[in-house]
Amino acid sequence: MRRAGNLANYADFDESSVRTRPNRHGSRPRTKEHPNYKDAITARVVAVDRGRWRTIAEENSENERAVTAMRARALGRTPIVPGDLVRLTGDTSGRTDTIARIVEVEERTSFLRRSADDDDASERPLVANADTLVIVTALANPEPRGGMIDRCLVAAYVAGITPLLCLTKADLADPSDFLEKYAPLGIEHLTTYRGSDGTIAGIEALRERLSGHLSVLVGHSGVGKSTLINALVPGADRATGHVNAVTGRGRHTSSSALALRLPESNGWVIDTPGVRSFGLGHVSPEELESAFDDLAILMEKCPRGCTHASTEVNCALDSLVADGHAGSAGPARLASFRRLNDTLRTNDPWAM
């Protein structure tokens, strides 16, 4: 039997008689060359809805348009979230009943994540490329929860995003006592409340602060995020809810993250669904320490190998904070740090 490897030696060989084994993975020939997306256009993701991504293509140009897209198979399970800048191919006209393909996700400047719980290290991506994290909390109805704020601060510092405290319902409680707790961190803050005429006092200061930025609003349900969004972006029509008189908790009104453009195309704000908790299972103890920079300075006085956990008998933080080296808010800050630190170390096998 003549071997295929010697076919060149037989001038009378009929190539049509050679059987080729079909490619069981498809009919396309295999190649090591990567696709060339030189004709792809850039778009910003503004929302995700059941496997479809709503984007704004060629932002701030005369050809700007809304384009619906799907994820290219080559991207696998790569997370694509509001704020992402992506590359689109296919039908990018934006016409009704057309769909483009997301073929690339551009490098991010920041990536905000959370986990469902502290003992769950699986990440839940929220927003990409934000430079400001607006932590919205009500001063009353519902009562402010420092633990939630601390967790958001940790997530912001780890992601490289500047935090901004936005205290709502300032007509119901004086914010000074609450803010004293965060004075050592020097966190920027703004206050708002609904006036007798129905307008939101302080909204202009907030709009000016967010102008030119990509900001994300995070907070418990019922603290007024959607109310702020509706005031910042006329016509947004985000649903607003109420606070349960029995539980003191708000009702979820936003079901998915949505990026909205500020008036005069001067920046973006992203509204996120209200959350019951903000898990930090994806954060390492070392990242947590760097987030509490008011205490990190004092940690340099601790013995080598100190974990700063509540069980550490030789941790220098206790005496230093008690002596006032972390200011009047030191004890509360240390207690908050210890709660998070103990939880992270319990769930991190590398930290034991």
Side-chain angles (χ1 to χ4, degrees), residues 274-286:
V275 295
R276 300 291 191 202
S277 63
F278 202 103
L280 297 176
H282 62 288
V283 178
S284 70
E286 291 72 25

Side-chain angles (χ1 to χ4, degrees), residues 136-145 166-169 178 222-224:
V136 184
T137 187
L139 290 166
N141 191 34
E143 294 298 317
R145 299 171 186 172
C166 182
L167 306 178
T168 63
K169 307 181 184 181
F178 181 80
V223 297

Side-chain angles (χ1 to χ4, degrees), residues 44 46 56-61 64-65 207 213 229 232-234 236 258-270:
R44 184 183 300 279
V46 296
I56 299 297
E58 299 187 271
E59 182 181 340
N60 294 328
S61 75
E64 179 180 303
R65 60 200 178 278
R207 181 182 289 114
H213 295 272
I229 289 289
L232 288 169
V233 186
L258 175 66
L260 296 162
R261 180 176 277 158
L262 289 170
E264 300 179 5
S265 302
N266 201 8
W268 292 85
V269 290
I270 301 179

Side-chain angles (χ1 to χ4, degrees), residues 2 12 27-28 83 87 97 117-118 129 144 159 239 266 273 302 325:
R2 296 174 178 176
D12 59 344
S27 59
R28 291 185 179 180
R87 302 277 288 168
D97 298 328
D117 296 293
D118 289 330
N129 298 319
N266 201 8
C302 289
H325 291 279

Side-chain angles (χ1 to χ4, degrees), residues 59-352:
E59 182 181 340
N60 294 328
S61 75
E62 60 181 11
N63 295 320
E64 179 180 303
R65 60 200 178 278
V67 177
T68 299
M70 61 183 293
R71 184 208 311 263
R73 183 179 300 179
L75 289 178
R77 299 177 66 87
T78 302
I80 306 173
V81 296
D84 262 325
L85 292 175
V86 298
R87 302 277 288 168
L88 302 180
T89 62
D91 192 333
T92 61
S93 65
R95 293 190 299 265
T96 304
D97 298 328
T98 62
I99 191 165
R101 283 192 310 149
I102 299 176
V103 294
E104 291 179 348
V105 179
E106 296 190 0
E107 184 176 356
R108 297 164 172 139
T109 58
S110 66
F111 193 39
L112 181 66
R113 303 158 293 163
R114 74 178 181 94
S115 60
D117 296 293
D118 289 330
D119 58 357
D120 181 2
S122 59
E123 300 176 358
R124 296 189 177 185
L126 296 177
V127 172
N129 298 319
D131 56 37
T132 305
L133 174 60
V134 185
I135 306 171
V136 184
T137 187
L139 290 166
N141 191 34
E143 294 298 317
R145 299 171 186 172
M148 174 67 173
I149 295 176
D150 286 341
R151 289 166 179 273
C152 289
L153 288 175
V154 171
Y157 292 139
V158 170
I161 303 175
T162 301
L164 169 66
L165 269 179
C166 182
L167 306 178
T168 63
K169 307 181 184 181
D171 54 322
L172 302 180
D174 187 342
S176 56
D177 291 341
F178 181 80
L179 289 172
E180 184 179 356
K181 178 180 179 181
Y182 296 95
L185 291 177
I187 301 172
E188 185 181 2
H189 69 275
L190 293 170
T191 59
T192 67
Y193 64 90
R194 187 180 294 277
S196 58
D197 59 353
T199 60
I200 306 298
I203 198 65
E204 288 302 324
L206 179 60
R207 181 182 289 114
E208 181 178 352
R209 169 60 180 82
L210 302 184
S211 177
H213 295 272
L214 196 158
S215 309
V216 52
L217 277 65
V218 174
H220 280 302
S221 300
V223 297
K225 289 190 296 82
S226 295
T227 298
L228 292 178
I229 289 289
N230 289 338
L232 288 169
V233 186
D237 295 329
R238 295 294 269 176
T240 58
H242 64 278
V243 177
N244 189 299
V246 177
T247 65
R249 293 181 174 180
R251 178 173 59 87
H252 293 286
T253 54
S254 302
S255 59
S256 60
L258 175 66
L260 296 162
R261 180 176 277 158
L262 289 170
E264 300 179 5
S265 302
N266 201 8
W268 292 85
V269 290
I270 301 179
D271 185 20
T272 60
V275 295
R276 300 291 191 202
S277 63
F278 202 103
L280 297 176
H282 62 288
V283 178
S284 70
E286 291 72 25
E287 289 173 319
L288 176 65
E289 292 172 12
S290 65
F292 282 76
D293 54 0
D294 54 332
L295 300 177
I297 299 176
L298 305 181
M299 293 176 190
E300 299 176 2
K301 304 292 184 179
C302 289
R304 184 175 182 178
C306 180
T307 64
H308 319 297
S310 59
T311 55
E312 285 280 359
V313 295
N314 295 319
C315 181
L317 289 177
D318 296 283
S319 59
L320 291 172
V321 170
D323 290 342
H325 291 279
S328 59
R333 298 289 295 149
L334 178 57
S336 181
F337 166 77
R338 284 263 168 80
R339 287 195 305 272
L340 298 179
N341 187 46
D342 289 351
T343 299
L344 292 183
R345 291 188 175 276
T346 298
N347 299 313
D348 183 2
W350 297 103
M352 300 301 290

